[in-house]
Each structure stands twice: as structure tokens, then as C-alpha cells.
């Protein structure tokens, strides 16, 4: 039973602190492990940046914060669509949930297109991961995030096909982690001086 509502059972009894979380508890194990990995990368980035602030700032000037901001808007809107899909499936509105999931996937694909255009622009002017350590982090961190977006799109497609409350909640949890990582990554890479 939950502490706030004694008549409502826990969604995942027997999983200790993960018992009250929506979706499959194994997804939460994956999410927590991915958060640890990203945190380690962020800490390493901050350490290297502190050792070469001027170089990192100069390299960062080559990025377009508006492109990163546009991607932030696109990804957060996609996250909203996923949240609305969870709300719809909770209300037993499977068709509506699938529509929200499809919209979220469309926005996720748009995020990928914007990122590929951004990468292409950088490579076209000769900016590669070897240009400066900053760009090694830029490409490394954003590509690692990009891989998570692709995995998330696969999950969203799967749960659009196999729509159930648990499946939608599980995919939504992962997609929101992708959002959270980008919310941290965008200012760290594009804005922080």
C-alpha cells in the first residue's frame, strides 16, 4: 500500500525504493545507471574546462546557441506529448495515447534532424572532435545523448504498437530522462562561460 493512499497498492511491490515508481522497475535501474554515467562525463568536462577556460570559451563561440535552444524546445515539447500519452492511457484512451506518442516521436525525429544539420555545419567548416578538447566533449556528449534519443524513439515506437499503461509509463520514464539530460547538457555545452 502507498503511504499517501492506503487503499491503492504499490505499482511494483517487492522492489524496495523502486516500488512506488511507475512503469517497469528495471527501466528505473537503467535510468539511474545512465544518470551516473552522464554525471561522470559532466564532471570530467567541468574539470577539463576549469583547466582551459579561455580555450573552451573560444571554441564554444563556434556553436550556435539558437540551434541548441531550438532543440531544447523541440525535445521538451516531445516530453509534454509523452506526459499527455501517459495521462491518456491512464484514462483508458488508447487511441489518444497512441496519437500523443506519434507526435512525440515526430518531434524526436525533428530533434535528430536538427542535430545532424548542426553536425554537418560544423564538419563543413572543418570543426571535428580533434579541433579542440571542447569539441571532443561537444561531439562526444551530444552524440551519446543522440544515441539515447534513438533508443527512446525505438521504445516509443514499441509502446505505440504494444500500448498498455505499464509500457507507456516505462517508455515515458526513459524519454523524460532523455529530456533531463538535454536540459543539463544544453547550458553546459552551449551557454556556460
Amino acid at each position: 500500500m502507498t503511504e499517501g493512499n492506503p487503499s491503492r497498492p504499490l505499482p511494483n511491490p517487492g522492489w524496495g525504493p523502486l516500488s512506488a515508481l511507475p512503469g517497469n522497475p528495471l527501466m528505473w535501474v537503467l535510468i539511474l545507471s545512465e544518470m551516473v554515467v552522464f554525471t561522470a562525463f559532466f564532471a570530467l568536462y567541468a574539470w577539463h574546462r576549469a583547466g582551459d577556460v579561455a580555450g573552451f570559451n573560444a571554441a564554444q563561440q563556434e556553436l550556435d546557441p539558437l540551434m541548441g535552444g531550438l532543440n531544447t524546445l523541440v525535445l521538451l515539447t516531445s516530453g509534454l506529448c509523452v506526459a499527455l500519452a501517459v495521462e491518456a492511457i491512464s484514462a483508458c484512451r488508447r487511441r489518444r495515447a497512441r496519437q500523443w506518442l506519434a507526435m512525440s516521436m515526430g518531434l524526436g525525429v525533428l530533434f535528430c534532424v536538427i542535430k545532424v544539420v548542426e553536425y554537418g555545419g560544423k564538419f563543413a567548416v572543418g570543426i571535428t572532435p580533434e579541433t579542440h578538447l571542447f569539441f571532443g566533449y561537444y561531439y562526444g556528449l551530444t552524440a551519446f545523448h543522440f544515441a539515447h534519443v534513438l533508443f527512446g524513439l525505438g521504445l516509443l515506437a514499441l509502446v505505440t504498437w504494444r500500448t498498455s499503461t505499464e509500457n507507456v509509463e516505462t517508455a515515458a520514464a526513459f524519454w523524460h530522462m532523455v529530456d533531463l539530460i538535454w536540459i543539463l547538457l544544453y547550458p553546459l555545452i552551449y551557454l556556460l562561460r
Side-chain angles (χ1 to χ4, degrees), residues 64-122:
D64 183 356
L66 291 178
M67 288 288 277
L70 176 61
N71 252 349
T72 303
L73 180 64
V74 167
L75 200 57
L76 290 178
T77 304
S78 178
L80 171 63
C81 291
V82 166
L84 292 170
V86 170
E87 184 178 287
I89 196 67
S90 296
C92 298
R93 298 174 65 205
R94 183 181 308 262
R95 182 170 179 243
R96 176 63 67 181
R98 287 180 171 152
Q99 290 169 339
W100 285 120
L101 290 168
M103 288 176 62
S104 182
M105 285 186 291
L107 290 165
V109 169
L110 178 58
F111 176 92
C112 293
V113 168
I114 293 168
K115 185 70 22 226
V116 167
V117 167
E118 188 177 5
Y119 286 156
K122 296 292 165 263

Side-chain angles (χ1 to χ4, degrees), residues 145-162:
H145 179 265
F146 189 94
H148 284 76
V149 171
L150 293 177
F151 181 76
L153 287 171
L155 278 177
L156 293 176
L158 182 63
V159 303
T160 300
W161 172 55
R162 304 279 296 185

Side-chain angles (χ1 to χ4, degrees), residues 27-183:
M27 180 57 74
W28 289 98
V29 172
L30 175 65
I31 289 169
L32 292 172
S33 65
E34 291 301 303
M35 295 297 289
V36 168
V37 170
F38 272 104
T39 300
F41 283 139
F42 291 165
L44 193 58
Y45 170 84
W47 182 64
H48 279 119
R49 181 181 185 84
D52 182 17
V53 174
F56 271 63
N57 283 345
Q60 190 179 39
Q61 296 297 320
E62 298 296 324
L63 296 184
D64 183 356
L66 291 178
M67 288 288 277
L70 176 61
N71 252 349
T72 303
L73 180 64
V74 167
L75 200 57
L76 290 178
T77 304
S78 178
L80 171 63
C81 291
V82 166
L84 292 170
V86 170
E87 184 178 287
I89 196 67
S90 296
C92 298
R93 298 174 65 205
R94 183 181 308 262
R95 182 170 179 243
R96 176 63 67 181
R98 287 180 171 152
Q99 290 169 339
W100 285 120
L101 290 168
M103 288 176 62
S104 182
M105 285 186 291
L107 290 165
V109 169
L110 178 58
F111 176 92
C112 293
V113 168
I114 293 168
K115 185 70 22 226
V116 167
V117 167
E118 188 177 5
Y119 286 156
K122 296 292 165 263
F123 277 107
V125 296
I127 297 174
T128 69
E130 291 82 29
T131 302
H132 184 273
L133 184 57
F134 170 81
F135 289 109
Y137 277 109
Y138 163 73
Y139 284 112
L141 287 169
T142 59
F144 191 46
H145 179 265
F146 189 94
H148 284 76
V149 171
L150 293 177
F151 181 76
L153 287 171
L155 278 177
L156 293 176
L158 182 63
V159 303
T160 300
W161 172 55
R162 304 279 296 185
T163 310
S164 70
T165 301
E166 181 183 13
N167 288 350
V168 173
E169 288 177 347
T170 300
F174 185 85
W175 197 251
H176 291 314
M177 186 265 307
V178 170
D179 284 346
L180 174 62
I181 294 299
W182 186 257
I183 289 170

